[in-house]
Amino acid sequence: MSDAIDPTPAFRPLLHFTPPKGWMNDPNGLVHHAGQYHLFYQCYPDDTVWGPMHWGHASSRDLVHWTHRPVALAPDAHGMCFSGSAVVDWQHSFVAECEITTVPRKAVCGTLRADMVTPLVAFFTRHVPGESPEFDHQCQAMAASRDGGRSWQTCDKAILDNPGLQDFRDPKVFWHAESAHWVMVLTEGQQLGIYRTQGGAEWEKVSVFGAEHGAHDEWAWECPDLFPLPIEGSQGEQGGDVERWVLMVGVQRCGPAGGSGTQVFIGDFDGIDFTPHQPPETVTWFDLGADCYAAQSWSDHPGERLVIGWMSNWLYANETPTGDWRGAMTIPRALSLHPDEGGEGHVLRQAIPEQVRRSAGALDALVVPRRPAPGSVLELGEAEAALTEFRLQLSTGAAVSLRPFGDDSLIFRFEGVEAGLDLTVERHLPGNPYPGPEAALVEHFPHQIHHHLPAGPRVACQLLRDSCSAELFIDEGRWVLTELAFPASPGPTTLCVERGEVGLGAVSGRHW
């Protein structure tokens, strides 16, 4: 929910973050500071298609109600402002510590203004477009804020210049306490470069990762993130939790539903090298749907690891039918790491954060049969933004179809098989008449994809529906599917029993 936004333009979500107007894509510079969640994002305020990249800015205290702030970074003589990250500079590693006063200072420390507030530092890619892609130039830059993110001053000089690569972007910076260094992970075409510094502008390249691992296509990897997660239920020799490191990075054209997707590697990181635990050919997706990309986590958050992604796909992002705005974020997600059933690997689970759940009200009681007969069509609540939760049990050969909007704009179909569940996602073109539809939307938006999920006989499901999206969490968030949809006349969410013996329980609903 965002302030100062007209809710009337087509398909404007009630719960999910959207820009006040114009274009939005990747989340950038996610940082928690002084009790506020800061969300920066790639944007072009002057049109609803991708253009000269700015950093938009919003803040929230609860991840639900967002206040729009002025644009934080804008293109200048040094180039556009591509994706990146932000940190709280507690140690004054990047911004010199000046005398603390009770009013903003006019003085300058190095090249950056200082005042009474501990600085926020943003790292981003400057992009200078050329006459053709091979003449584009990208380098890493820095900006700082000493007033809690309300205003920013950039360094004119690059902090890491381009070594001669066409794709050299999207720096994710974090403090690695064990090695007492700041670490930067950024994309270098089909691999990631890992750099480090103890402070200042002297970044040393220490390793690379990825050329022989995971999914690749003809486009560069994008928007990496690297962070530790404790293994739930574990205990190390010193009594603390055992940790593993999670590396996320985007692919542009070979995602699980075609086009954009975010892949995940789980392994170890010693401050220099990232060592994955999975074989090089293994591909693990953060989200199995078509519309979760460039997922990034909040830095400096004292609690659980929180992540948000861009809810779209580069195959058709410029053509979605949304009036004077275009682009939305997924719901924020809390991550946890668990041992897998064999005890040798790990399972990443995603959950809707508790503060988001608490902000919703309960729907009227949902009364459904525990053993619905074949042919039954059950209504699971109707609200513009709603969370429906249930447990599903399917005998072998049984099948049900879940329609988030009560129509055929988007269908999730579950079928019980001996080794788990088969899931089919079927999506159709937007139903409302609007100018177009344009070619890319016609070609790429409709799809039918299939997934086999090695789940047990009973599976917990959560469906989060908003005006133009559905996020389906399966088996306590072991699998998540995010899909845009543009229904002509949305109705109640329905579950249809197509065949076989079906068990249904723990049905509940919430709404915003």
Side-chain angles (χ1 to χ4, degrees):
M1 299 178 186
S2 305
D3 67 346
I5 279 185
D6 181 357
T8 57
F11 302 112
R12 173 82 77 175
L14 179 65
L15 180 62
H16 292 72
F17 180 83
T18 54
K21 66 172 184 175
W23 166 271
M24 179 180 76
N25 57 291
D26 305 346
N28 296 155
L30 307 182
V31 63
H32 184 265
H33 180 237
Q36 292 204 72
Y37 297 93
H38 290 272
L39 168 61
F40 300 91
Y41 53 92
Q42 293 280 275
C43 73
Y44 182 40
D46 298 328
D47 204 343
T48 56
V49 295
W50 189 94
M53 284 292 96
H54 301 56
W55 273 33
H57 182 201
S59 62
S60 173
R61 292 192 177 274
D62 61 3
L63 297 173
V64 176
H65 303 91
W66 293 92
T67 298
H68 289 284
R69 305 295 186 186
V71 167
L73 303 175
D76 57 20
H78 302 288
M80 301 183 201
C81 304
F82 273 16
S83 295
S85 55
V87 299
V88 180
D89 191 11
W90 298 109
Q91 306 175 56
H92 293 273
S93 300
F94 304 102
V95 180
E97 185 173 9
C98 297
E99 177 185 354
I100 301 299
T101 67
T102 57
V103 294
R105 288 172 53 90
K106 301 290 186 183
V108 169
C109 296
T111 59
L112 300 172
R113 173 178 166 170
D115 63 53
M116 61 177 294
V117 181
T118 303
L120 299 178
V121 178
F123 302 89
F124 64 100
T125 297
R126 277 201 177 108
H127 177 85
V128 180
E131 295 179 358
S132 59
E134 61 266 26
F135 292 109
D136 287 354
H137 182 79
Q138 298 175 348
C139 65
Q140 311 319 313
M142 187 178 83
S145 171
R146 294 298 301 261
D147 57 7
R150 287 185 289 273
S151 64
W152 293 81
Q153 186 168 351
T154 60
C155 289
D156 291 339
K157 183 179 179 181
I159 63 168
L160 187 59
D161 212 348
N162 195 314
L165 299 172
Q166 179 179 329
D167 299 295
F168 184 67
R169 61 177 181 265
D170 306 345
K172 178 66 184 223
V173 174
F174 60 92
W175 174 250
H176 186 257
E178 290 78 5
S179 64
H181 279 78
W182 291 94
V183 174
M184 177 191 293
V185 183
L186 69 154
T187 59
E188 299 180 342
Q190 293 292 317
Q191 66 181 16
L192 303 178
I194 300 178
Y195 297 74
R196 69 176 189 170
T197 183
Q198 289 186 308
E202 299 299 321
W203 290 90
E204 173 194 13
K205 187 172 185 177
V206 293
S207 67
V208 296
F209 171 77
E212 305 298 328
H213 289 79
H216 294 265
D217 52 43
E218 67 274 19
W219 296 69
W221 278 7
E222 291 190 316
C223 301
D225 198 357
L226 179 61
F227 51 84
L229 273 184
I231 302 172
E232 297 292 321
S234 67
Q235 190 170 23
E237 295 180 0
Q238 306 301 320
D241 292 328
V242 177
E243 288 184 338
R244 292 292 181 265
W245 284 76
V246 177
L247 173 64
M248 303 192 303
V249 66
V251 296
Q252 299 186 62
R253 291 296 184 271
C254 63
S260 310
T262 299
Q263 57 183 327
V264 174
F265 303 90
I266 299 172
D268 296 312
F269 180 65
D270 61 5
I272 294 177
D273 294 296
F274 175 75
T275 305
H277 289 181
Q278 61 212 61
E281 66 276 8
T282 299
V283 178
T284 302
W285 296 110
F286 180 72
D287 190 298
L288 294 174
D291 296 300
C292 179
Y293 188 59
Q296 292 287 296
S297 67
W298 266 272
S299 69
D300 292 270
H301 187 248
E304 57 201 347
R305 180 65 60 166
L306 297 173
V307 169
I308 199 168
W310 177 45
M311 196 160 60
S312 196
N313 190 307
W314 279 119
L315 290 179
Y316 45 77
N318 285 279
E319 299 181 3
T320 53
T322 53
D324 63 354
W325 62 277
R326 188 171 273 139
M329 296 298 176
T330 68
I331 202 69
R333 301 171 185 180
L335 304 187
S336 59
L337 195 60
H338 304 257
D340 67 7
E341 291 79 358
E344 297 182 358
H346 302 94
V347 173
L348 184 70
R349 295 186 186 274
Q350 306 175 49
I352 299 170
E354 191 57 35
Q355 60 263 49
V356 177
R357 292 175 56 89
R358 286 198 305 266
S359 69
L363 288 171
D364 293 338
L366 299 176
V367 180
V368 297
R370 295 181 60 85
R371 295 285 177 182
S376 300
V377 178
L378 311 176
E379 291 191 3
L380 301 183
E382 181 176 13
E384 184 178 352
L387 174 64
T388 303
E389 302 177 279
F390 56 92
R391 290 190 177 273
L392 190 63
Q393 182 174 359
L394 298 179
S395 63
T396 299
V400 300
S401 56
L402 177 65
R403 288 170 166 80
F405 303 98
D407 62 3
D408 289 346
S409 60
L410 178 64
I411 306 169
F412 297 105
R413 183 170 285 106
F414 297 87
E415 181 177 0
V417 295
E418 290 186 3
L421 292 174
D422 282 348
L423 174 64
T424 300
V425 183
E426 184 178 333
R427 184 173 70 180
H428 299 274
L429 273 173
N432 276 356
Y434 63 94
E438 299 186 54
L441 201 70
V442 171
E443 180 179 0
H444 298 294
F445 192 82
H447 63 236
Q448 187 176 83
I449 54 176
H450 305 275
H451 300 286
H452 174 71
L453 309 181
R458 296 180 180 88
V459 62
C461 296
Q462 296 174 300
L463 176 69
L464 181 63
R465 153 188 155 161
D466 208 338
S467 301
C468 64
S469 65
E471 291 163 277
L472 179 62
F473 296 74
I474 302 173
D475 193 16
E476 310 294 343
R478 179 174 183 177
W479 300 285
V480 183
L481 294 95
T482 302
E483 297 274 340
L484 291 177
F486 301 99
S489 300
T493 296
T494 61
L495 183 73
C496 175
V497 179
E498 297 183 349
R499 62 178 184 272
E501 296 182 9
V502 175
L504 187 62
V507 182
S508 64
R510 304 184 72 83
H511 70 95
W512 285 266

